[in-house]
Amino acid sequence: MDQTIVAIRSRHVLLHFGSEHRDSSDKKHRDKDKERLKLKDGSSDKQKDKHKEKKKEERVGRGLCYFYIATVLSELNPLITNALVLALCTAVLVACVGMLVYILPSLCFFIPFRWEEERYTDGVKWKFLEHKGPVFAPPYEPLPSNVKFYYDGKHMKLSPGAEEVATFFAKMLDHEYTTKDVFRKNFFKDWRKEMTSEEKSKLADLNKCDFSEMSEYFKAQSEARKAMTKEEKLKIKEENERILQEYGFCVMDNHKERIANFRIEPPGLFRGRGDHPKMGMLKRRIRPEDIIINCSKDSKHPKPPPGTKWKEVRHDNKVTWLVSWTENIQGSIKYIMLNPSSRIKGEKDWQKYEMARRLKKCVDRIRAQYREDWKSKEMRIRQRAVALYFIDKLALRAGNEKEEGETADTVGCCSLRVEHLTLHQEMDGQEYVVEFDFLGKDSIRYYNKVPVEKRVFKNLQLFMEDKEPEDDLFDRLNTSILNKHLQELMDGLTAKVFRTYNASITLQQQLNELTTSEDNVPAKILSYNRANRAVAILCNHQRAPPKTFEKSMQNLQTKIDAKKEQLADAKRELKSAKADAKVRRDEKSKKAVESKKKAVQRIEEQLMKLEVQATDREENKQIALGTSKLNYLDPRISVAWCKKLGVPIEKIYNKTQREKFAWAIDMAEKDYEF
DNA sequence: TAAGCGACTTAGCAGAAAACAC
DNA sequence: GTGTTTTCTGCTAAGTCGCTTA
């Protein structure tokens, strides 16, 4: 990598070159680094040139159509220049336009993907956008008078505002959340803001509030909904369908597209994940006055509900969202965007996997580089190299810095602290083992014991030297520095691309290893799920075991036992039929033997299917396959595998997934390689 | 150059819907 | 047809990363 370029951009290297703007902590770091690394000066020009060459190669493949053609060409000759690619693209484009204008209009129907029809430059995402705006949460319906709230054992009639917030709490009463101190404290504080001054003076202690009648009322309502007649249920379904048809679609550049989340989030109590400091806070109701509408000038603008107005109507075609508002808990912006099946999302998805495929081509070089950097004389480079090694080997997330006290205490690679690692010179017969134990995204625990290379181990010892448990492991690194470095190694490369790349390549390798064409379809699907599972484990995609897990496993075992008995019976019958046929030697008994044989075969197949199902389910107990399937695995690998092994695609992707991956289903042939 | 913002992707969970068993 | 189990879908929180601003 080009150390000099990165060095100039880094404040730490400015220090090395004698900048006057030194703060004391930097000086401390520098002195320490010098001491530890026995710093010597100098950077390699050769390396710089070499990197420029390599960068040139990787720059091949920018843009969309350009991107695709360049990818193909770069496979033929890795040294091909941008200019040549551009020239070729232009030629192809001119030819295509000619063909389209004069010959092919009638064949437009056969264009495989409509998102290949038109592409914009300069960040333009669309030319025309029309929609009906969002669907607001239904207004609050006050409780019937017989449903009472009690304070300190006495009935108390609440004002509508206070009552609404109280119902949010009552609805969650059975949830563990409402027992947590932080939740209760936050809730009570926000609830008091909605109370009248009289209520405020009376309701001083949440522990004296009795929401149980409210809670019972909502439970009864839920039961009543379940017990509705078919006709009533159908009526609701039809109404939902009507709303979907009216608000659930938009027109973007000549195409009707499905909107992902056209309903505004209803008010309620914020439920953060893990130990979130803001859990229990009131998520306020969103009104039309909070809403920004985005659509094209020449479209029919959505109308706000009667008597209200939008916060703003804008026409920004460099973004993909239709509606936005600012939520009150974190002050972040929420959006209404298009469904994953839309052109705009599908195209982005495709680009993501193409980027990961580009990484595949240069990952060996990048790995060699970071291994080399483990020996660097600069601490920041060593830290960067070790962090990158973790991101690559363990598929860790980048780990942006977070504002303390605003969210749950979770970390990723760059934000790991000393307390999250334990180093073992020797463990379970292996040398240089690193034990990771930290909370990652969504407060999901990452626990792993990994043997690492000696040099990594020694570096980690160095990084942890003289530090407190709560100190940053990589004190000279953050995601911005890391991604700038990655950008130097490959155009467009960021930390998250490694997760996509490693997930997809793992799936492909596992499928090749685990499946053969001789297997039957259930066995092939079991293997597919196992390959998928390997990826989910790599990416640490966990789930809470389903509440009914034990019971459902028991049921399955009962079925297996019954099937085994049935098989034993069938085998006995076959044996006696054979004996019978030996004595009689007539056609009838021969036929009987054949039919018993078939019965045994059929039951054996059924038994195998059940056993496979049990294995699959057991192995899947705490692992979520969906996340990797939807976000990390190049769908063309799965499509190609299905085509090659004769597995119906419906067995791998359900309807929604097939819609999302329509581009891949159409694009990938059986010989596709990631 | 750090901090903050904006736009977007990635994530697990809960409830609805579909499939299955009886 | 009804109750139970499994799968799917919607919801929205929580990340990543690029850009702007002070």
Side-chain angles (χ1 to χ4, degrees):
Chain A
M1 88 115 231
D2 191 341
Q3 293 182 355
T4 315
I5 293 171
V6 176
I8 289 165
R9 289 180 182 173
S10 155
R11 78 191 169 105
H12 301 306
V13 168
L14 284 175
L15 291 171
H16 283 302
F17 287 99
S19 161
E20 292 301 311
H21 307 284
R22 298 170 184 171
D23 60 32
S24 62
S25 76
D26 273 325
K27 189 175 184 306
K28 208 169 82 192
H29 277 311
R30 185 176 54 111
D31 293 345
K32 243 180 187 176
D33 292 358
K34 263 190 182 174
E35 197 184 303
R36 286 176 188 169
L37 303 171
K38 296 191 174 58
L39 196 142
K40 288 174 201 163
D41 253 350
S43 68
S44 156
D45 280 347
K46 257 187 201 168
Q47 225 173 5
K48 196 167 136 188
D49 292 342
K50 209 171 152 190
H51 173 65
K52 273 187 181 166
E53 273 300 306
K54 281 174 182 167
K55 237 193 112 187
K56 206 155 92 186
E57 285 171 34
E58 285 147 19
R59 224 178 277 130
V60 175
R62 232 186 248 153
L64 288 164
C65 180
Y66 168 51
F67 181 103
Y68 184 68
I69 295 168
T71 309
V72 174
L73 286 174
S74 66
E75 267 168 23
L76 298 173
N77 180 359
L79 289 172
I80 198 155
T81 62
N82 278 343
L84 179 56
V85 175
L86 265 172
L88 270 167
C89 283
T90 314
V92 170
L93 253 168
V94 168
C96 287
V97 168
M99 278 168 79
L100 282 170
V101 170
Y102 293 107
I103 310 162
L104 292 174
S106 60
L107 296 178
C108 277
F109 184 74
F110 297 104
I111 291 174
F113 287 100
R114 53 179 202 271
W115 43 268
E116 287 178 0
E117 290 169 17
E118 199 173 2
R119 267 156 198 158
Y120 305 122
T121 49
D122 292 341
V124 170
K125 303 283 173 30
W126 47 262
K127 292 274 169 69
F128 181 83
L129 174 61
E130 185 171 276
H131 58 91
K132 295 280 293 247
V135 172
F136 288 93
Y140 176 63
E141 277 182 35
L143 292 170
S145 55
N146 61 325
V147 181
K148 292 179 179 125
F149 167 77
Y150 299 91
Y151 184 72
D152 207 10
K154 287 178 207 117
H155 167 229
M156 188 173 160
K157 176 75 189 157
L158 296 172
S159 63
E163 185 187 271
E164 182 179 9
V165 179
T167 63
F168 298 154
F169 193 83
K171 280 177 188 166
M172 296 169 82
L173 218 52
D174 285 342
H175 204 288
E176 201 203 338
Y177 272 114
T178 55
T179 63
K180 293 187 177 175
D181 275 351
V182 179
F183 190 95
R184 294 175 71 86
K185 208 177 118 244
N186 286 333
F187 162 71
F188 199 53
K189 193 177 162 200
D190 279 3
W191 187 27
R192 286 178 68 80
K193 289 179 197 160
E194 303 301 313
M195 292 177 190
T196 61
S197 47
E198 197 194 339
E199 285 165 341
K200 253 187 224 171
S201 63
K202 277 188 184 168
L203 301 172
D205 183 359
L206 181 59
N207 293 319
K208 289 181 180 168
C209 295
D210 179 358
F211 301 92
S212 55
E213 270 193 26
M214 290 185 187
S215 173
E216 290 307 317
Y217 169 72
F218 291 121
K219 273 184 215 161
Q221 276 207 322
S222 162
E223 288 307 312
R225 262 197 305 277
K226 278 182 207 158
M228 277 189 301
T229 62
K230 252 187 177 174
E231 289 72 28
E232 286 170 319
K233 283 183 183 168
L234 187 69
K235 217 174 155 186
I236 293 173
K237 205 176 169 184
E238 280 170 355
E239 175 59 11
N240 283 337
E241 183 59 29
R242 189 192 64 76
I243 295 172
L244 172 71
Q245 289 307 323
E246 185 172 357
Y247 293 94
F249 294 86
C250 73
V251 178
M252 187 179 268
D253 294 343
N254 306 322
H255 296 288
K256 189 176 170 184
E257 300 273 27
R258 177 91 190 262
I259 298 168
N261 54 325
F262 56 89
R263 287 175 197 274
I264 298 281
E265 295 170 21
L269 302 183
F270 175 75
R271 312 151 77 128
R273 296 183 186 149
D275 277 333
H276 201 295
K278 295 191 173 181
M279 64 166 86
M281 280 174 69
L282 175 64
K283 225 176 88 165
R284 63 175 182 76
R285 182 178 289 274
I286 303 301
R287 305 153 304 152
E289 290 76 11
D290 303 313
I291 295 291
I292 301 173
I293 297 287
N294 194 31
C295 61
S296 55
K297 263 185 197 160
D298 55 345
S299 72
K300 208 171 143 193
H301 298 185
K303 284 200 185 83
T308 66
K309 51 183 182 181
W310 305 122
K311 181 180 180 183
E312 185 191 335
V313 176
R314 67 171 73 155
H315 313 290
D316 182 357
N317 70 355
K318 294 197 171 173
V319 296
T320 65
W321 55 267
L322 281 53
V323 172
S324 78
W325 70 94
T326 304
E327 54 90 30
N328 65 302
I329 304 289
Q330 326 261 15
S332 65
I333 306 170
K334 299 249 177 170
Y335 303 94
I336 290 183
M337 289 187 188
L338 294 192
N339 190 271
S341 61
S342 60
R343 178 217 106 208
I344 216 152
K345 295 284 181 190
E347 193 173 283
K348 220 37 199 318
D349 216 28
W350 172 54
Q351 279 180 274
K352 175 179 78 183
Y353 292 112
E354 287 304 302
M355 183 67 77
R357 291 177 85 200
R358 282 177 57 211
L359 173 57
K360 185 190 172 193
K361 286 183 201 148
C362 59
V363 74
D364 288 341
R365 177 174 58 79
I366 291 172
R367 285 174 178 160
Q369 175 73 65
Y370 67 61
R371 295 173 69 87
E372 197 57 36
D373 286 347
W374 293 340
K375 297 180 266 180
S376 170
K377 51 198 169 351
E378 283 186 63
M379 179 66 99
R380 60 174 190 95
I381 291 176
R382 286 201 193 193
Q383 290 195 355
R384 195 181 66 195
V386 172
L388 186 50
Y389 168 72
F390 286 159
I391 283 170
D392 183 22
K393 183 183 169 79
L394 305 173
L396 299 189
R397 294 187 186 85
N400 281 319
E401 285 143 297
K402 297 170 75 184
E403 219 175 314
E404 220 173 305
E406 292 292 302
T407 56
D409 177 21
T410 62
V411 295
C413 185
C414 294
S415 51
L416 278 169
R417 298 192 296 263
V418 171
E419 62 194 328
H420 297 133
L421 278 78
T422 314
L423 304 183
H424 304 276
Q425 199 84 28
E426 201 256 304
M427 192 188 207
D428 307 329
Q430 286 176 306
E431 274 189 316
Y432 309 119
V433 175
V434 183
E435 190 180 356
F436 291 88
D437 193 353
F438 61 89
L439 296 181
K441 183 178 178 179
D442 293 323
S443 293
I444 298 290
R445 186 182 179 203
Y446 182 92
Y447 181 79
N448 202 359
K449 286 180 276 188
V450 198
V452 299
E453 307 203 24
K454 186 178 176 183
R455 214 176 274 279
V456 171
F457 194 85
K458 295 288 170 197
N459 270 318
L460 288 171
Q461 283 179 325
L462 191 71
F463 304 159
M464 291 163 88
E465 217 174 77
D466 299 331
K467 281 187 189 169
E468 298 297 319
E470 64 274 15
D471 287 342
D472 286 339
L473 173 70
F474 302 117
D475 53 305
R476 324 304 299 276
L477 184 72
N478 60 39
T479 53
S480 170
I481 294 171
L482 180 69
N483 280 335
K484 265 182 198 151
H485 170 64
L486 293 175
Q487 189 68 39
E488 299 285 333
L489 296 178
M490 188 190 108
D491 196 17
L493 184 62
T494 62
K496 81 194 261 284
V497 180
F498 281 87
R499 250 166 103 81
T500 314
Y501 161 70
N502 278 310
S504 289
I505 201 78
T506 302
L507 177 77
Q508 183 166 284
Q509 282 162 353
Q510 288 288 306
L511 286 178
N512 286 343
E513 271 174 38
L514 297 172
T515 52
T516 58
S517 48
E518 288 83 53
D519 291 339
N520 58 25
V521 171
K524 283 174 185 165
I525 292 168
L526 175 68
S527 300
Y528 181 90
N529 286 342
R530 282 188 166 151
N532 192 167
R533 199 145 44 232
V535 177
I537 290 167
L538 175 74
C539 295
N540 200 40
H541 291 144
Q542 296 186 31
R543 63 165 183 174
K547 282 165 198 146
T548 53
F549 184 82
E550 293 306 329
K551 200 179 158 201
S552 87
M553 279 310 282
Q554 247 171 23
N555 289 349
L556 198 54
Q557 194 53 51
T558 314
K559 273 190 207 169
I560 289 171
D561 294 343
K563 197 54 79 181
K564 277 180 180 166
E565 265 179 45
Q566 196 187 348
L567 181 64
D569 287 347
K571 278 183 176 169
R572 265 195 298 276
E573 281 176 30
L574 173 63
K575 200 176 170 187
S576 88
K578 274 183 181 168
D580 196 37
K582 217 173 182 180
V583 178
R584 293 197 187 188
R585 295 175 180 278
D586 63 352
E587 269 314 298
K588 199 181 162 193
S589 50
K590 261 190 195 169
K591 272 188 181 168
V593 170
E594 279 313 304
S595 99
K596 297 286 176 200
K597 256 189 194 168
K598 275 185 185 158
V600 167
Q601 230 170 17
R602 197 177 56 241
I603 297 165
E604 271 174 345
E605 271 172 28
Q606 288 168 343
L607 177 63
M608 198 208 86
K609 222 172 160 177
L610 285 172
E611 282 175 334
V612 160
Q613 208 184 340
T615 314
D616 208 21
R617 197 177 293 175
E618 183 64 48
E619 288 177 2
N620 239 16
K621 185 177 176 182
Q622 295 195 70
I623 296 163
L625 299 187
T627 309
S628 49
K629 204 182 210 178
L630 241 45
N631 301 299
Y632 289 104
L633 302 176
D634 183 345
R636 291 168 293 184
I637 299 170
S638 303
V639 172
W641 179 83
C642 282
K643 286 183 179 169
K644 199 164 91 185
L645 295 187
V647 176
I649 194 79
E650 298 78 31
K651 300 273 181 195
I652 299 300
Y653 292 135
N654 66 35
K655 189 171 148 274
T656 319
Q657 292 164 343
R658 289 198 300 279
E659 279 167 12
K660 171 170 171 158
F661 296 133
W663 60 272
I665 292 169
D666 193 275
M667 196 184 270
E669 293 304 329
K670 61 181 174 188
D671 56 351
Y672 173 79
E673 246 197 73
F674 174 75

